[in-house]
Amino acid sequence: MKARAERRHWRRTLAAALLLAACIFLFHTAVLLEVARKLAWLHRWLTGNYGAANAGRILVCICFFILFLTHIIEAVFWGSFLWRKKMVVCLSDGIYFAASSITALGYGDLVLRHPWRVLGPLVAINGLLMFGCSTAFLFLVLQRVWEQF
């Protein structure tokens, strides 16, 4: 009876983790699309106020900053999940584990107990996909900025 309850808890937690991964992907996509929507207006405004040469520099810095914050927020989402599910002792451990996992750094000094270890690769896969999207987005922004010179 106890084993059945544990399996049910494990399945629910894994389903919640997969749902969180999907929500993080939607959040990241929404940020990228919103930033992309504002870029043309922002570039015109920056060009008018700071000149064409400075507009590109400022625009790239803004994109870096927004994506940096986005990835920090995503690490906090994962860290909060791990902490609320009692997989880590405190919130800061959860954020640390999530941040080292989503960057594929994975020190290994903080690991999840069995059977939750499967969530480590899930967090890492989610993070790598998000960083890949951010890299592609920044490449497009830089390409557009370089076309202006």
Side-chain angles (χ1 to χ4, degrees):
M1 201 63 139
K2 184 178 178 183
R4 177 183 273 172
E6 287 177 4
R7 281 194 306 271
R8 190 174 329 124
H9 175 67
W10 188 85
R11 282 191 297 252
R12 286 182 182 161
T13 303
L14 184 59
L18 290 170
L19 181 62
L20 177 60
C23 289
I24 288 173
F25 183 71
L26 290 173
F27 168 73
H28 199 88
T29 302
V31 168
L32 291 180
L33 292 175
E34 187 61 26
V35 171
R37 195 172 72 79
K38 302 277 187 188
L39 281 180
W41 173 84
L42 184 58
H43 189 262
R44 282 192 303 276
W45 185 83
L46 288 169
T47 301
N49 290 307
Y50 297 102
N54 291 326
R57 291 182 186 107
I58 295 169
L59 193 67
V60 170
C61 288
I62 289 170
C63 287
F64 273 113
F65 182 72
I66 290 170
L67 291 173
F68 180 76
L69 285 178
T70 302
H71 287 284
I72 289 174
I73 291 168
E74 292 164 1
V76 170
F77 285 161
W78 275 116
S80 298
F81 174 81
L82 296 171
W83 176 57
R84 301 270 300 162
K85 295 292 184 177
K86 299 185 182 353
M87 293 178 205
V88 293
V89 177
C90 60
L91 179 60
S92 63
D93 281 352
I95 294 170
Y96 172 76
F97 176 82
S100 65
S101 294
I102 66 173
T103 58
L105 186 60
Y107 281 126
D109 57 341
L110 181 63
V111 294
L112 301 177
R113 293 182 312 264
H114 179 76
W116 308 117
R117 289 186 184 177
V118 70
L119 294 180
L122 177 70
V123 173
I125 291 167
N126 184 251
L128 289 174
L129 285 171
M130 298 307 100
F131 276 101
C133 290
S134 293
T135 301
F137 181 78
L138 284 173
F139 177 79
L140 289 173
V141 170
L142 287 169
Q143 190 175 28
R144 294 290 169 101
V145 167
W146 284 329
E147 288 173 357
Q148 300 297 319
F149 291 113

